[in-house]
């Protein structure tokens, strides 16, 4: 049975995709079998994995609509060492098409259940919204990883997200849990960053990952080469942070429930 982690924050540009791609590669590096699901019509996780989203004929869209199986759409990302269920802009249509279909919230879960034995981890990169796509991710996952920037408005957005998680828990996925909050693009010289970071630790305690992802140009550059930074420049501070995060997540898995 795989562990499915949804990477969620309705706020844009907080590092969801950077986290999904690099964590996928970092977990794969440590020997885990990983499936990365791109659930964002922007297709950034797809491009960041080195797969050209414009050339795809079958994507996660077809899986959600029941037209394809995960095993038929999934592509091997050789350099990253993981499998990718890709996305492109066609996925934007799924949002509308799914509304009238039965089991609209559980379609991703049902599709992933059929490949669950083949992976240790399934990571789901979500779009910047609390849409039906995100609800599908929250329904398919056991845990939620929340990347966030330590900014003034960060905590405000978090309450909407926590409310959505609670709603999904009571209606669709009773065992859904927050895996952890991940501080991204962290700048230790910035006083506000430090303050927000401390507030997070006070409010969420051990739900805050110990790993801090620093602002690091290698993480921003890597997508243009279609290679996760963890492989592009493994020695960089950004890559090191994601390797540390993978170790933290693997250690979480070994703790007794
Ligand atoms: N730690 C970091 N240091 C420097 N740049 C970063 C870091 N993390 C992410 N970035 C850059 O910031 C931008 C936003 O990151 P990313 O695409 O991962 O966020 P996102 O939450 O997935 O965005 P969206 O909500 O649009 O999907 C990208 O250009 C990315 O390369
Ligand atoms: Mg993204």
């Amino acid at each position: 049975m795989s562990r499915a982690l949804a990477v969620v924050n309705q706020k844009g540009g907080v590092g969801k995709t950077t986290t999904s791609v690099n964590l996928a590669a970092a977990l794969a590096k440590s020997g885990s079998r990983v499936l990365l699901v791109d659930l964002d019509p922007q297709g950034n996780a797809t491009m960041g994995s080195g797969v050209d989203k414009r050339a795809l004929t079958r994507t996660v869209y077809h899986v959600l609509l029941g037209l394809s199986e995960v095993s038929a759409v999934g592509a091997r990302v050789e350099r990253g060492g993981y499998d990718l269920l890709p996305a492109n802009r066609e996925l934007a249509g799924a949002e509308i098409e799914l509304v009238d279909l039965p089991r609209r919230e559980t379609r991703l879960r049902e599709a992933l259940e059929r490949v669950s034995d083949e992976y240790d981890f399934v990571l789901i990169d979500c779009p910047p919204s609390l849409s039906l796509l995100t609800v599908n991710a929250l329904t398919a996952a056991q845990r939620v990883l929340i990347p966030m920037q330590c900014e003034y408005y960060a905590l405000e957005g978090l309450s909407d997200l926590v409310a959505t998680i609670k709603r999904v828990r009571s209606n669709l996925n009773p065992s859904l849990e927050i895996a952890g909050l991940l501080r991204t693009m962290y700048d230790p010289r910035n006083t506000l960053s430090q303050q927000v970071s401390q507030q997070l630790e006070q409010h969420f305690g051990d739900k805050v990952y110990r790993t801090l992802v620093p602002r690091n140009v290698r993480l921003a550059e890597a997508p243009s080469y279609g290679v996760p930074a963890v492989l592009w420049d493994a020695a960089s501070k950004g890559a090191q942070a994601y390797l540390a995060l993978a170790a933290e997540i693997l250690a979480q898995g070994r703790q007794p429930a």
Side-chain angles (χ1 to χ4, degrees), residues 9 11-19 40 42 44 125-128 184-186 213-217 219-221 223 242:
N9 191 332
K11 213 165 159 359
V14 296
K16 292 180 291 294
T17 301
T18 305
T19 298
D40 184 349
Q42 295 182 98
N44 293 341
D125 183 29
C126 290
T184 60
M185 295 179 239
Y186 189 72
V213 181
R215 189 170 282 286
N216 179 252
V217 69
L219 290 174
E221 283 170 357
Y242 281 111

Side-chain angles (χ1 to χ4, degrees), residues 66-242:
L67 303 170
S68 294
E69 288 291 331
V70 175
S71 52
V73 179
R76 182 74 185 162
V77 177
E78 286 299 342
R79 282 200 67 183
Y82 55 87
D83 288 352
L84 171 76
L85 186 52
N88 59 24
R89 56 189 302 181
E90 203 174 4
L91 182 57
E95 196 82 57
I96 299 144
E97 288 163 61
L98 279 176
V99 168
D100 295 324
L101 295 180
R103 312 178 331 275
R104 62 187 179 193
E105 296 102 345
T106 56
R107 287 176 165 254
L108 184 63
R109 173 163 74 195
E110 288 163 22
L112 289 175
E113 269 166 6
R114 291 194 283 275
V115 295
S116 173
D117 289 343
E118 288 162 47
Y119 299 102
D120 301 307
F121 287 95
V122 177
L123 301 177
I124 310 169
D125 183 29
C126 290
S129 66
L130 296 173
S131 60
L132 187 51
L133 290 173
T134 300
V135 169
N136 261 275
L138 292 172
T139 305
Q142 285 102 42
R143 290 151 154 277
V144 192
L145 190 162
I146 306 170
M148 55 188 305
Q149 275 182 271
C150 292
E151 292 174 341
Y152 184 65
Y153 291 115
L155 289 163
E156 201 167 298
L158 212 50
S159 54
D160 290 338
L161 176 51
V162 169
T164 302
I165 291 171
K166 284 191 177 143
R167 200 153 36 83
V168 171
R169 199 185 280 147
S170 43
N171 297 325
L172 297 155
N173 187 4
S175 56
L176 183 66
E177 270 182 66
I178 294 180
L181 281 92
L182 176 68
R183 293 163 286 182
T184 60
M185 295 179 239
Y186 189 72
D187 176 3
R189 287 161 306 184
N190 180 322
T191 317
L192 181 63
S193 280
Q194 289 173 14
Q195 284 170 355
V196 174
S197 173
Q198 279 165 11
Q199 278 179 356
L200 277 179
E201 286 174 343
Q202 277 157 16
H203 280 277
F204 292 93
D206 62 2
K207 285 288 179 198
V208 182
Y209 287 113
R210 299 179 72 93
T211 305
L212 281 157
V213 181
R215 189 170 282 286
N216 179 252
V217 69
R218 289 304 210 199
L219 290 174
E221 283 170 357
S224 64
Y225 301 100
V227 183
V230 160
L231 299 158
W232 174 248
D233 183 357
S236 64
K237 289 225 161 75
Q240 288 294 317
Y242 281 111

